[in-house]
Amino acid sequence: MLTFRQRVSLVSAGAAVAVTSLIAVMTTAAAAAGTRYEAESAPATCAGAVESNHPGYSGSGFCNGDNAVGAGVQFAVTAAASGQARLAVRYANGATTGRPADVIVNGAATQPAAAFGTTGAWTTWTTATFTVPVNSGSNTIRLSPTTAAGLPNIDYLELEANPSPSATASPAPGRPAECTGTSPITCRFAVAPGNYTVTAWIGDNTTAGNTSMSVESRRRILPAASTPAGTIIRHVLTVNVRQPEGQPTGQGGTGTPGLDITFAGSAPKLSGLTVQPATSPLAVYLAGDSTVCDQPTAPYTGWGQLLPTHVTGGAVVANYGDSGESSASFLSNSALFPTMRPLVQSGDLVLIQFGHNDKSTSAASFRSNLTTMITQVRGRGGIPVLVTPPVRRLFDGSQLTATALHVNGVGVNLPAEMRSLGSSLNVPVIDLTAKSEALVESLGPADSAQLFLRDAVDGVTDNTHFSEYGAGRMAELVVQGIRERNLPVVTYLR
Ligand code: GCU
Ligand code: CA
């Protein structure tokens, strides 16, 4: 017989905060004791019932989670320092089989489907210990069951930031067999399209290094950074894998299936690398053209290729930008909006930038195409964001021309249409046209050339498409807009 069990709702643990992206492997010991957080009391929340019918628990009871996938218990914890922390979870599992659960720290599954084996009786309590990356200050830790049996009964967790090295016993695991070469180091993991938590230990115990990290089609994850001999920095990141990689229509090459990771820089050093499926990261989808897309071939670079350098683990950029696309073609091409739309989950962001290829689109059509995207993204529970197109480098004296500012061939001021559509449909607008206009005009006709492609440097002159430097500057302007609009991904910005 089924009994109705009221969902216990305690004080909310608050929004997830960013996963620390830079975690120095511990070199110093601190004698901090762990702090205990009971599962039965705020700020913990229990997707189930707080009960006390199986003795041996600490505090006033335990969380008996509902028997369902994802019926978790979430803790709001405070860490005295960033870095690795020792996490102990006390539980009882009187069932005859294990009850695996993801250990999710600040939105990233640091231990996917961790085992919580049977303890033989509901009154037999035991402790499972993990090493997890934490931020200094507030963090959320969630235990989320991966099977329909739900969680074991959870008594409490204890968190000890800055534990002694013997307490973590978590050295860099060493370079995996998937990686070859020394400069660059290239790694290929045979995984299906999807989102992955990638943990990279960058640096070396004995040698200084200088290492950058890119994935898939020239998508930059970490800019080159130096590590002194003896320093290893652990980075936890979330990476989107598409097939084809690069541009969704395969323009310029379809890449190779699986996840490709490249460590370059002047002296790449890698002391460990793991890849695990990511559990529901916050996705930022990009719908746009060649100025946005994952360009397969240098020197062409889309700003979407540099955006991941600003995002921590737990959030992921999925770039569906494609060269030559207009607001109409992006909607109609089956590889583009029709492929992207069903992937959008509740709360995901979709940044929509068109204009460059709407050269003869009427105002009514432009608004109608954008409205279709907005409505369909909202239909998925996603959050559409309009991004006005970055300017072209076309000067008249010290000022950009109307063409540079995307007044199209039939006289439609495309950015102005986006701004007014944004206010009438209550869609946030990142005014990249205005921001890039200010940047390009402040640099002036000569110095602004470095943002675009120059024959002398790049072997081609192009005043629409960006160099890697220019794409990086555009990504910074987009991030500035994300902060100004306080979009949900702000807590995941580095
Ligand atoms: C029993 C037990 C609970 C437990 C549940 C379960 O009902 O009394 O404490 O949570 O089984 O299987 O999840
Ligand atoms: Ca239960």
Side-chain angles (χ1 to χ4, degrees):
M1 195 180 88
L2 293 173
T3 53
F4 175 74
R5 189 155 61 177
Q6 197 186 358
R7 186 188 166 95
V8 176
S9 177
L10 301 174
V11 175
S12 162
V17 296
V19 167
T20 302
S21 61
L22 302 179
I23 299 141
V25 168
M26 300 318 307
T27 52
T28 54
T35 304
R36 185 172 297 182
Y37 300 87
E38 297 287 350
E40 68 273 17
S41 51
T45 60
C46 167
V50 169
E51 291 175 353
S52 55
N53 56 334
H54 300 301
Y57 52 79
S58 113
S60 60
F62 53 85
C63 169
N64 167 1
D66 289 337
N67 301 110
V69 172
V73 53
Q74 183 160 317
F75 297 84
V77 302
T78 305
S82 68
Q84 294 181 82
R86 184 184 62 88
L87 172 69
V89 179
R90 191 162 189 263
Y91 71 96
N93 178 3
T96 53
T97 55
R99 295 206 170 173
D102 292 336
V103 178
I104 302 171
V105 180
N106 299 324
T110 54
Q111 277 87 8
F116 290 88
T118 177
T119 59
W122 294 107
T123 49
T124 303
W125 298 87
T126 191
T127 303
T129 305
F130 308 95
T131 301
V132 297
V134 292
N135 298 323
S136 178
S138 302
N139 296 266
T140 59
I141 298 181
R142 184 175 177 82
L143 305 173
S144 182
T146 58
T147 73
L151 285 175
N153 291 341
I154 303 291
D155 185 14
Y156 62 72
L157 65 74
E158 272 179 2
L159 187 81
E160 183 187 355
N162 247 353
S164 60
S166 61
T168 53
S170 176
R175 193 170 116 164
E178 285 86 349
C179 299
T180 55
T182 52
S183 188
I185 301 164
T186 56
C187 313
R188 174 167 300 156
F189 293 84
V191 296
N195 294 317
Y196 293 89
T197 302
V198 175
T199 307
W201 285 258
I202 290 178
D204 187 87
N205 273 331
T206 55
T207 315
N210 176 273
T211 314
S212 67
M213 177 179 170
S214 301
V215 300
E216 298 292 271
S217 197
R218 299 176 59 237
R219 203 185 307 152
R220 183 55 58 88
I221 303 290
L222 298 171
S226 296
T227 42
T231 296
I232 298 172
I233 311 280
R234 190 170 80 151
H235 302 260
V236 181
L237 303 145
T238 313
V239 174
N240 177 257
V241 176
R242 285 185 287 104
Q243 185 60 31
E245 59 184 66
Q247 305 193 54
T249 61
Q251 295 181 73
T254 52
T256 43
L259 170 58
D260 291 273
I261 308 180
T262 302
F263 297 92
S266 59
K269 296 285 177 249
L270 181 69
S271 294
L273 183 67
T274 61
V275 174
Q276 310 270 10
T279 307
S280 322
L282 173 64
V284 180
Y285 288 92
L286 306 181
D289 52 39
S290 56
T291 64
V292 179
C293 76
D294 284 356
Q295 291 274 5
T297 311
Y300 292 88
T301 312
W303 61 254
Q305 287 174 290
L306 276 296
L307 193 59
T309 62
H310 297 280
V311 176
T312 66
V316 65
V317 176
N319 191 350
Y320 282 78
D322 196 76
S323 290
E325 306 305 340
S326 65
S327 61
S329 70
F330 193 84
L331 271 174
S332 62
N333 188 319
S334 62
L336 300 173
F337 195 76
T339 295
M340 188 194 79
R341 186 191 58 88
L343 301 174
V344 175
Q345 308 271 322
S346 179
D348 287 345
L349 290 163
V350 181
L351 273 50
I352 302 167
Q353 181 211 288
F354 292 99
H356 281 87
N357 304 306
D358 283 277
K359 295 185 174 76
S360 57
T361 308
S362 68
S365 298
F366 193 56
R367 294 174 79 102
S368 152
N369 293 336
L370 295 174
T371 301
T372 300
M373 289 184 221
I374 289 164
T375 307
Q376 295 200 20
V377 166
R378 284 181 167 165
R380 295 282 312 162
I383 302 167
V385 178
L386 291 171
V387 180
T388 60
V391 297
R392 301 185 180 95
R393 179 174 162 267
L394 302 173
F395 275 93
D396 179 4
S398 61
Q399 300 218 300
L400 292 172
T401 67
T403 303
L405 298 172
H406 299 285
V407 177
N408 76 5
V410 293
V412 179
N413 185 329
L414 298 167
E417 294 300 329
M418 293 179 99
R419 291 177 201 117
S420 87
L421 189 66
S423 56
S424 66
L425 297 181
N426 200 21
V427 173
V429 176
I430 295 175
D431 200 345
L432 186 56
T433 307
K435 289 178 183 297
S436 59
E437 178 186 11
L439 173 64
V440 170
E441 287 186 350
S442 74
L443 289 170
D447 286 353
S448 62
Q450 63 188 312
L451 300 171
F452 297 85
L453 301 178
R454 296 167 289 179
D455 190 37
V457 178
D458 304 302
V460 56
T461 298
D462 186 319
N463 289 314
T464 296
H465 295 104
F466 301 115
S467 60
E468 184 166 328
Y469 172 72
R473 296 297 300 266
M474 295 302 133
E476 285 170 14
L477 296 177
V478 171
V479 168
Q480 190 184 77
I482 287 170
R483 291 192 200 276
E484 287 164 359
R485 297 282 167 262
N486 198 25
L487 301 175
V489 73
V490 287
T491 52
Y492 295 92
L493 293 176
R494 296 185 206 168

